[in-house]
Amino acid sequence: MSRNQKKKTKPTRNNTKYIVGFWALFVLGLVAVAFIFLLAGWGAFGKMPSFEQLENPETNLATEIFTADGETLGKYYSENRTPIKYEDLPDHLVEALVATEDERFYKHAGIDAKGTIRAAVFLGQRGGASTITQQLAKLLFTEDVARGFVPRVFQKFKEWVIATRLERQYTKQEIITMYFNKYDFVYQAVGVRSASRIYFGKETKDLKIEESAVLVGMLKNASLYNPIRRPDMVKSRRNQVFEQMYKNGYVSEQKKDSLQELPMKLDFTPESHDEGMATYFRVYLQALMKQWIKDNPKPDGTNYSLYRDGLKIYTSIDSKMQEYAEKSVVAHISNLQKEFDRQNENNATAPFRDIEQQEVNQIIRSAMKRSARWKGMEKNGKSEKEILASFDKETEMRIFTWDGLKDTIMTPKDSIFHYKGYLRAGLLSMAPQTGEIKAWVGGANFKHFKYDHVKQGKRQVGSTFKPFVYATAIDQLRLSPCDIMPRNRFTIEEGKYGNSKDWSPRNSDNKYEGMLSLKEALAKSVNSITARLIDKTGPGPVIDLLAKLGVDTEGFSEGPAIALGTEDMSLYEMVSAYSTFANEGVYVKPVIVTRIEDKNGTVLFQNIPETRDVLSREAAYVTVNLLEGVTQNGSGVRLRGTYAKNLPHYKRAVTGYPYDFKNPIAGKTGTTQNQSDGWFMGMVPNLVTGVWVGAEDRSVHFPGITYGQGATMALPIWGMYMKDLYADEDLEISQEDFHRPENLSIDVNCNDNDEATENEDDDFSDEIDF
């Protein structure tokens, strides 16, 4: 071998050494990486999820409430998450996700090697390396993000291992679905279904491509790319999503350009417990469900969680009827409030009437002690003197008005006076044949007035009680609506039925001459004839009837004055009791939950109606016939268009008039002492609806009967509500006659020829001698 050849081979030996060294280091690096992966898999960098946890990752699922017509009414949650299936994800949403977050999603097994190398070489300047599966692993099993470079690297290894295991456990479609269901889009929008409803007011399957792009853009950092706080930044991010979709062939360049020109439109609808439809109903249902959960444990003996187990509660509420009911309550109460405030302008003790200043002070002091301010200061060790002083210090606050929230400066005590002056209302609507509650409105604004006037509140019912007296007399004595009784004043003597003195109620119109049929007497709400009837039946049988009708009669007086509605009852009790008349004498226990399912669709509860016979068909029909007279010739006549020409100047408080109903309607108004409560109970063959209007305190009321009667305070809500129901033909609200029993033996054809007259003082205001 020549010298030159030797010189050439020498460096070759040196290169071989370097090459061997390089490959040794490379293999050692691979072994080290593999060893780190093994360590991560063994849990050296933190506890790894078990196979069972991978198969069933722990996810808090909101309990969802559905209406009878399939709409989501609300949710109970610790996280507002409602799962969605892959088939309900629109194609453009999935395409936007893959194009933006993980272009090679369908080509890798959890780790994108190309992306990882690129991220390492360019230090993340040309995009990250985190795959959708890795992001899901982080969402599912990383509670706290590590701080510092080295801990974060080790955490990455852990996420890589989990990602590969997830890829073996789930399909690509399942991984995408889990990711969308887990991500928190802020504003209590956990999961894409909640986000779709909160940001765009629709279900995910109904999203447009530009709406999907907004949600996908938020995945980078939902707090930063917040469409409510930073709309311009989010629009720019949305347009970047379109760029990625174009780059990956999901949209054409022309389509991309047109999409980027679109404005960003939101329909922001927060889903807090204080907002949305049927808020009062949802609070009652929540308490009902907690008791059901307590009484119905899981097969393993543990209790369901109302906030984490993803239960599905199917209710009897109809979303359209609920919407119409809430709209009617707000329309009338906001209008009636204007007249109420006008009449309080010169009231020295406003909003209170007919009480001394000492009583006013007691009411305000009681309200202070119930307030969050008092309880909070008391908890912090403040003295009563300090607490009271704080109520007299002016402070900035935002208060409710019917013209919108108002920023103002006032003392906390003055704010109590402010809220005490607002009229409240309740409405309950029930299908008498099934007992299903179709609409439940406990007040006009749950956020500011949380007291429920459907079931929680009980108030004197006034003349709406009288049909129970008439029904008892008809059932016991087989009286006819055509039977005639004298109108003169009637006295039940001292000692009878426990009277401490003679009881002789006055008629509101002070008329006592002549004779009246029972139909006329109820239509005109004549107290002297009601007194005659309860003397014939005795108070006991009336109270027994009420108990059979589902009314809690414990503590009711057994004196005859009960006939005029002196006892407190809830709107819930009144509607369920009246429904028995419309259901031919059969009481059906009110139904609000028809079915409960677990997150997998297994039925946990199915409602079985509870019924009992209370009245004969004849007695029920005759009572209904009597109540029809109220809307034909009595205090409910303003439901008919024929009365428009006689409506006096106070029509400004009769919201929505004229109503112009032509169909059969049975009903009864009610007004209580000093106009503290206004009632209207109205029935058509397949729907019974009750309305109550008043204030929180009975001393807050209209000064006179003109505006304070049930026909002005409550009836307009019923009128507007029913007009909306009849306009919506899909609801199939009956306009037919009430069902008449075959072989009816009680005469109901009285041939009354009275002109329609409205008895303003229809109830027991100034009518009872206590």
Side-chain angles (χ1 to χ4, degrees):
M1 183 179 291
S2 68
R3 184 178 295 179
N4 289 336
Q5 287 176 323
K6 290 180 180 179
K7 287 181 179 179
K8 289 180 181 178
T9 58
K10 189 174 182 179
T12 302
R13 289 197 298 270
N14 291 337
N15 287 342
T16 300
K17 184 173 68 171
Y18 288 122
I19 290 170
V20 170
F22 169 78
W23 283 109
L25 287 172
F26 180 76
V27 171
L28 186 61
L30 289 178
V31 171
V33 170
F35 183 64
I36 292 174
F37 268 107
L38 283 173
L39 288 175
W42 293 335
F45 307 139
K47 185 179 178 182
M48 295 293 287
S50 65
F51 175 80
E52 289 75 17
Q53 288 173 315
L54 285 171
E55 193 170 48
N56 298 289
E58 185 177 337
T59 302
N60 292 331
L61 300 179
T63 290
E64 192 165 10
I65 312 162
F66 295 95
T67 63
D69 51 331
E71 297 295 322
T72 297
L73 190 61
K75 300 175 186 177
Y76 304 124
Y77 53 83
S78 55
E79 290 181 342
N80 184 14
R81 182 201 322 278
T82 306
I84 193 170
K85 297 178 180 178
Y86 183 84
E87 50 265 34
D88 292 325
L89 299 173
D91 290 342
H92 50 68
L93 178 64
V94 175
E95 292 165 357
L97 171 68
V98 173
T100 307
E101 295 295 319
D102 191 353
E103 294 174 319
R104 286 173 290 279
F105 175 69
Y106 295 108
K107 298 177 182 178
H108 63 65
I111 301 174
D112 182 4
K114 183 178 178 181
T116 301
I117 294 171
R118 181 194 64 212
V121 171
F122 296 100
L123 301 177
Q125 296 299 311
R126 295 190 181 181
S130 187
T131 65
I132 291 172
T133 317
Q134 286 174 245
Q135 292 178 49
L136 175 61
K138 182 178 177 181
L139 288 173
L140 289 174
F141 301 110
T142 301
E143 295 181 359
D144 299 307
V145 177
R147 295 184 178 183
F149 177 75
V150 174
R152 184 69 189 118
V153 168
F154 286 142
Q155 194 171 72
K156 270 291 182 184
F157 275 106
K158 178 183 173 182
E159 290 168 5
W160 284 340
V161 173
I162 296 173
T164 58
R165 292 181 180 180
L166 287 172
E167 287 277 350
R168 291 197 299 266
Q169 188 74 29
Y170 297 100
T171 67
K172 292 289 187 180
Q173 291 182 348
E174 289 172 332
I175 288 170
I176 285 176
T177 305
M178 292 169 69
Y179 181 59
F180 271 129
N181 280 330
K182 185 67 178 174
Y183 193 83
D184 187 345
F185 291 86
V186 302
Y187 293 112
Q188 296 179 331
V190 183
V192 73
R193 187 176 176 209
S194 293
S196 302
R197 290 172 55 84
I198 287 174
Y199 289 108
F200 300 108
K202 60 180 65 174
E203 292 295 335
T204 308
K205 61 185 174 61
D206 299 321
L207 290 174
K208 297 178 180 178
I209 186 171
E210 60 269 25
E211 295 166 340
S212 290
V214 170
L215 296 180
V216 169
M218 293 177 69
L219 296 173
K220 186 173 184 179
N221 184 331
S223 296
L224 179 64
Y225 293 99
N226 182 326
I228 305 303
R229 298 178 61 187
R230 302 180 183 92
D232 293 337
M233 180 186 290
V234 174
K235 182 180 179 183
S236 176
R237 175 65 181 163
R238 180 204 69 175
N239 288 347
Q240 183 59 40
V241 173
F242 293 142
E243 287 285 355
Q244 288 297 114
M245 294 182 75
Y246 165 64
K247 174 185 172 184
N248 287 274
Y250 292 119
V251 296
S252 65
E253 185 174 12
Q254 183 180 3
K255 178 74 170 177
K256 177 205 70 172
D257 293 340
S258 63
L259 287 170
Q260 288 179 333
E261 292 299 318
L262 291 175
M264 190 179 71
K265 295 182 179 179
L266 301 174
D267 182 9
F268 187 56
T269 313
E271 291 186 345
S272 74
H273 298 299
D274 282 358
E275 296 168 316
M277 184 180 289
T279 44
Y280 295 90
F281 171 79
R282 285 189 275 130
V283 169
Y284 174 73
L285 177 62
Q286 185 177 34
L288 190 73
M289 283 301 301
K290 286 180 178 179
Q291 186 61 47
W292 182 87
I293 286 170
K294 184 178 178 181
D295 296 338
N296 297 271
K298 296 179 183 179
D300 63 4
T302 62
N303 287 332
Y304 291 98
S305 170
L306 186 61
Y307 308 104
R308 295 188 299 273
D309 280 348
L311 300 176
K312 298 181 181 68
I313 306 171
Y314 295 88
T315 72
S316 59
I317 296 292
D318 184 285
S319 65
K320 290 184 178 179
M321 296 174 73
Q322 182 70 28
E323 178 186 350
Y324 298 145
E326 292 182 3
K327 184 180 78 171
S328 299
V329 167
V330 169
H332 180 58
I333 293 301
S334 60
N335 183 45
L336 188 65
Q337 187 71 44
K338 297 174 185 176
E339 181 61 29
F340 186 73
D341 292 343
R342 188 186 69 81
Q343 295 191 25
N344 265 323
E345 288 175 359
N346 298 318
N347 176 14
T349 57
F352 307 99
R353 290 184 183 275
D354 307 322
I355 60 174
E356 300 296 328
Q357 187 60 46
Q358 182 180 356
E359 293 176 85
V360 172
N361 294 340
Q362 289 174 348
I363 291 171
I364 299 301
R365 174 67 71 90
S366 177
M368 288 180 183
K369 288 188 173 182
R370 294 195 305 269
S371 71
R373 170 183 289 271
W374 186 289
K375 292 176 181 177
M377 294 183 71
E378 190 174 52
K379 186 177 180 180
N380 291 329
K382 300 294 182 182
S383 67
E384 183 169 315
K385 183 178 180 181
E386 290 175 306
I387 297 173
L388 287 172
S390 75
F391 278 88
D392 290 319
K393 292 179 181 178
E394 289 191 340
T395 183
E396 292 183 359
M397 63 178 67
R398 177 171 291 181
I399 59 173
F400 170 84
T401 76
W402 280 116
D403 294 323
L405 296 178
K406 179 182 177 183
D407 291 317
T408 187
I409 297 175
M410 64 168 56
T411 68
K413 181 187 288 186
D414 287 339
S415 74
I416 293 174
F417 277 96
H418 172 77
Y419 285 108
K420 288 287 187 183
Y422 277 93
L423 295 173
R424 317 293 174 87
L427 178 151
L428 187 69
S429 204
M430 175 175 163
Q433 289 77 24
T434 64
E436 293 183 347
I437 301 295
K438 294 299 180 183
W440 177 310
V441 186
N445 188 298
F446 180 77
K447 190 172 185 178
H448 297 279
F449 308 104
K450 286 186 163 51
Y451 194 80
D452 174 39
H453 290 286
V454 168
K455 202 167 194 300
Q456 186 178 7
K458 292 191 174 187
R459 299 291 285 257
Q460 287 185 329
V461 296
S463 284
T464 54
F465 188 93
K466 290 176 181 175
F468 303 123
V469 179
Y470 278 71
T472 303
I474 293 164
D475 199 42
Q476 278 189 0
L477 309 173
R478 297 185 57 76
L479 297 180
S480 162
C482 310
D483 287 340
I484 303 297
M485 287 191 177
R487 196 176 194 170
N488 65 299
R489 200 158 183 174
F490 182 79
T491 300
I492 297 178
E493 63 273 17
E494 178 184 347
K496 193 173 186 180
Y497 307 125
N499 275 347
S500 59
K501 61 179 181 179
D502 288 351
W503 182 67
S504 181
R506 296 190 297 271
N507 292 333
S508 58
D509 58 5
N510 288 317
K511 294 180 180 178
Y512 301 97
E513 302 83 15
M515 307 285 286
L516 289 176
S517 69
L518 292 186
K519 195 166 189 177
E520 292 175 288
L522 185 61
K524 300 177 187 298
S525 208
V526 178
N527 291 329
S528 58
I529 290 180
T530 306
R532 288 179 184 275
L533 290 177
I534 201 163
D535 186 46
K536 290 179 180 291
T537 65
V542 177
I543 295 173
D544 291 342
L545 173 63
L546 286 171
K548 294 175 184 176
L549 294 175
V551 177
D552 179 7
T553 59
E554 185 178 353
F556 273 23
S557 166
E558 295 192 6
I562 193 176
L564 304 185
T566 56
E567 295 295 339
D568 290 353
M569 293 168 61
S570 70
L571 189 55
Y572 184 90
E573 291 174 318
M574 289 293 288
V575 170
S576 61
Y578 265 68
S579 291
T580 304
F581 300 142
N583 194 35
E584 302 182 73
V586 179
Y587 171 81
V588 182
K589 186 178 179 179
V591 174
I592 66 170
V593 176
T594 58
R595 189 170 80 256
I596 301 171
E597 295 178 358
D598 68 11
K599 64 182 178 182
N600 298 315
T602 303
V603 176
L604 305 176
F605 167 81
Q606 184 75 49
N607 178 67
I608 299 174
E610 296 182 34
T611 66
R612 57 175 173 265
D613 293 337
V614 176
L615 292 167
S616 68
R617 288 186 175 184
E618 276 197 327
Y621 177 76
V622 172
T623 304
V624 169
N625 181 268
L626 284 167
L627 290 168
E628 285 186 87
V630 175
T631 67
Q632 294 164 348
N633 302 303
S635 55
V637 74
R638 64 176 64 171
L639 291 172
R640 311 293 181 182
T642 54
Y643 196 70
K645 64 180 183 297
N646 298 321
L647 193 67
H649 68 280
Y650 58 89
K651 63 183 179 183
R652 61 175 174 261
V654 187
T655 319
Y657 190 85
Y659 312 109
D660 202 24
F661 295 117
K662 304 289 193 256
N663 56 293
I665 298 171
K668 188 71 188 80
T669 58
T671 311
T672 63
Q673 192 79 18
N674 297 324
Q675 304 80 239
S676 294
D677 308 274
W679 292 79
F680 184 72
M681 304 296 301
M683 301 187 291
V684 295
N686 65 349
L687 193 68
V688 177
T689 303
V691 180
W692 169 87
V693 175
E696 179 183 6
D697 298 275
R698 299 180 199 228
S699 53
V700 177
H701 55 78
F702 276 103
I705 197 70
T706 299
Y707 294 94
Q709 62 177 303
T712 304
M713 291 215 292
L715 178 145
I717 293 175
W718 192 94
M720 288 189 291
Y721 171 59
M722 292 300 293
K723 279 178 73 173
D724 283 341
L725 296 189
Y726 283 130
D728 192 336
E729 295 181 359
D730 292 340
L731 296 174
E732 298 182 344
I733 304 303
S734 175
Q735 299 190 57
E736 305 301 318
D737 291 329
F738 289 90
H739 182 260
R740 179 184 176 119
E742 295 181 6
N743 303 317
L744 182 66
S745 62
I746 298 177
D747 184 17
V748 295
N749 299 313
C750 306
N751 297 318
D752 293 327
N753 294 315
D754 285 359
E755 291 185 7
T757 59
E758 191 174 64
N759 188 41
E760 293 178 2
D761 300 356
D762 63 322
D763 304 304
F764 72 91
S765 176
D766 295 324
E767 300 166 9
I768 304 173
D769 292 330
F770 293 101

